[in-house]
Amino acid sequence: MKLMRTSRSNTGWAFAAVAAASLLVGGYAAPAVGQEAPRSEAAAPAKAAPAVSSPGAAAALVSPTANSTTRAIANKQPESVQAMANLCGAGYVLQYAEQLPDSRRFGTLFTYQKNTSPFSSCALFDNNLGTAKYMKLTLCPNQLSKPCSVDEGTFSQYAGPVRVTDGMCAEVTAIMKNSKSATTALIDRRFAVPPCN
């Protein structure tokens, strides 16, 4: 199925990609048209999506210090791991993945790291429900003087990517609700991006 993202919250850019069975399988996989609230800013030309290579290539994108749960998720979802890494950009490796809120897997949170100077973190929040939900993803550096990176809106596929430089022990928050005004969250997760003491 061909999907196109019409605009990006906080950036005003657009791109097109091919996705299958709600898994992100293109290097620049994109949400469905109308996933986000319309913006008045003009959208940039769409970018072509590179194809996902073999699952073995996705396994190479996992950090050697990733925990066993992250490795198990990467083994089960190699296309998502690679597509999310491509969205973060060159040089990022998967450091942490978590199914949220639990094994029911309403969403999957991915955090990637670039271990070259300046050390950077990138996070993406995959919507696994197959229907549009309000999602908010925040990534804050471990320095109060630096701003957080935020992506929020009504998404059917994912929120993010959000990135920070000097991202050692950055704090990530992932929220999913049926609507922005809903008082109960389906997912409300906050933690320091591993590895962190």
Side-chain angles (χ1 to χ4, degrees), residues 98-113:
E98 182 178 2
Q99 293 177 342
L100 298 171
D102 47 39
S103 62
R104 292 175 290 169
R105 194 179 148 222
F106 296 167
T108 306
L109 181 61
F110 296 93
T111 62
Y112 291 81
Q113 293 177 338

Side-chain angles (χ1 to χ4, degrees), residues 4 14 19-20 23-24 50 53 67-68 78 103 107 116 140 155 163 190 194 196-197:
M4 179 175 289
L23 282 178
L24 302 173
S53 56
N67 66 23
S68 60
S103 62
T116 58
C140 298
F155 303 126
R163 298 175 192 83
R190 177 181 296 188
C196 192
N197 296 332

Side-chain angles (χ1 to χ4, degrees), residues 26-59:
Y28 293 97
V33 172
Q35 175 172 334
E36 298 182 4
R39 292 179 49 110
S40 59
E41 300 170 15
K47 295 180 183 179
V52 173
S53 56
S54 69

Side-chain angles (χ1 to χ4, degrees), residues 63 65-67 70 88 92-98 109-115 119-124 137-142 149 162-174 189-197:
S63 169
T65 59
N67 66 23
T70 297
C88 283
Y92 282 93
V93 294
L94 180 64
Q95 183 62 47
Y96 183 79
E98 182 178 2
L109 181 61
F110 296 93
T111 62
Y112 291 81
Q113 293 177 338
K114 185 186 282 189
N115 296 322
F119 178 87
S120 301
S121 290
C122 174
L124 293 113
L137 180 63
T138 306
L139 186 61
C140 298
N142 192 13
S149 180
V162 291
R163 298 175 192 83
V164 294
T165 55
D166 298 323
M168 181 66 79
C169 284
E171 183 176 86
V172 64
T173 303
R189 177 75 165 109
R190 177 181 296 188
F191 65 96
V193 176
C196 192
N197 296 332

Side-chain angles (χ1 to χ4, degrees), residues 131-154:
T131 60
K133 299 293 181 189
Y134 170 77
M135 299 173 75
K136 182 174 183 181
L137 180 63
T138 306
L139 186 61
C140 298
N142 192 13
Q143 298 179 19
L144 296 177
S145 62
K146 295 190 175 185
C148 296
S149 180
V150 180
D151 189 28
E152 68 177 310
T154 300

Side-chain angles (χ1 to χ4, degrees), residues 5 10 70 127 132 162 173 178 185:
R5 191 168 209 164
N10 301 326
T70 297
N127 177 347
V162 291
T173 303
N178 285 320

